[in-house]
Amino acid sequence: QKEVEQDPGPLSVPEGAIVSLNCTYSNSAFQYFMWYRQYSRKGPELLMYTYSSGNKEDGRFTAQVDKSSKYISLFIRDSQPSDSATYLCAMSAYSGAGSYQLTFGKGTKLSVIP
Amino acid sequence: EAGVTQFPSHSVIEKGQTVTLRCDPISGHDNLYWYRRVMGKEIKFLLHFVKESKQDESGMPNNRFLAERTGGTYSTLKVQPAELEDSGVYFCASSHPPGVNTEAFFGQGTRLTVV
């Protein structure tokens, strides 16, 4: 079983739709939960960062973490063509070697159609 | 402020050759990470530097990979000799000390193709 599972898609939605992206994980030690956005031929860019269970909102983006179910979500409201990218969930826990290495999902490729 | 910069952006080498990737972190970031994404797989952690010291190298695949960060500034990742399975995109990231609300900034990656 992979530590982080994420449906790679692709996911195609019309402009203005609400997008829901999800990841499940198996490692209870994960403490920090992140969503990265990656445009083609670019590096991942941090979108949202959460530390505990619950919701966090930033503009059109909402991140949800449910530690009891080991499930995290990213919602994008009023999606725009500029949101077309690959969305990666990532998690981290103290590795015991003094490092908070990130564990990534495979990424979901999203296309928002005008 | 300049972001994380990686050189080269793309490298094509033959099996058995040596390749050196370079990462220039954001100025002042003591923490530097290398990650790799091979085709169809997740981005995977390789190693973590704090200044010039290797804090965690648990993700390094084998001894053909050598990472250095002399002087605690830029870092290099050398693959010698390269094998076909080393093909992928190598990302570098840097950050302030890890903890709550510490963002790791990623470079654009080096796409390595071993033929």
Side-chain angles (χ1 to χ4, degrees):
Chain A
Q1 182 188 15
K2 289 186 184 297
E3 280 194 287
V4 178
E5 298 275 4
Q6 182 177 11
D7 185 343
L11 180 62
S12 185
V13 301
E15 183 176 353
I18 296 174
V19 176
S20 172
L21 305 168
N22 312 293
C23 288
T24 58
Y25 63 95
S26 58
N27 187 349
S28 300
F30 286 138
Q31 303 165 288
Y32 307 103
F33 304 90
M34 288 138 279
W35 285 95
Y36 282 84
R37 178 175 60 195
Q38 186 178 17
Y39 292 113
S40 181
R41 305 284 173 163
K42 300 287 187 183
E45 170 196 15
L46 184 66
L47 261 184
M48 300 285 284
Y49 185 117
T50 51
Y51 174 63
S52 58
S53 284
N55 292 1
K56 183 176 181 179
E57 193 172 314
D58 184 2
R60 296 183 296 110
F61 299 90
T62 300
Q64 280 187 352
V65 174
D66 182 348
K67 285 188 175 180
S68 62
S69 300
K70 297 189 179 69
Y71 187 88
I72 71 170
S73 300
L74 178 71
F75 297 95
I76 307 174
R77 290 183 299 282
D78 187 25
S79 56
Q80 302 295 309
S82 58
D83 295 329
S84 298
T86 296
Y87 289 80
L88 302 139
C89 63
M91 308 172 191
S92 69
Y94 182 62
S95 73
S99 178
Y100 284 87
Q101 58 179 269
L102 295 175
T103 302
F104 283 88
K106 272 192 173 182
T108 300
K109 186 169 184 179
L110 171 68
S111 295
V112 181
I113 312 300
Chain B
E1 178 185 82
V4 177
T5 309
Q6 293 186 246
F7 305 97
S9 57
H10 193 182
S11 179
V12 181
I13 62 170
E14 291 184 352
K15 176 182 171 180
Q17 289 186 322
T18 297
V19 63
T20 300
L21 315 181
R22 173 170 167 147
C23 169
D24 286 73
I26 292 172
S27 177
H29 282 187
D30 287 340
N31 291 270
L32 187 148
Y33 301 83
W34 283 98
Y35 288 83
R36 174 176 75 167
R37 182 171 193 157
V38 297
M39 181 86 74
K41 303 282 190 181
E42 303 86 353
I43 297 173
K44 294 270 195 188
F45 169 82
L46 295 178
L47 88 159
H48 171 207
F49 282 101
V50 177
K51 296 185 181 178
E52 66 276 8
S53 300
K54 291 176 186 173
Q55 189 75 15
D56 180 359
E57 50 184 330
S58 61
M60 294 289 264
N62 52 61
N63 59 10
R64 295 185 294 102
F65 289 76
L66 175 64
E68 293 181 325
R69 192 182 181 195
T70 307
T73 54
Y74 71 90
S75 174
T76 58
L77 180 65
K78 182 161 71 174
V79 186
Q80 179 182 29
E83 298 289 345
L84 298 178
E85 65 264 25
D86 300 332
S87 296
V89 183
Y90 290 75
F91 291 104
C92 174
S94 72
S95 75
H96 286 302
V100 179
N101 287 333
T102 300
E103 178 176 355
F105 294 86
F106 281 79
Q108 84 281 8
T110 293
R111 185 173 297 271
L112 175 65
T113 304
V114 183
V115 297

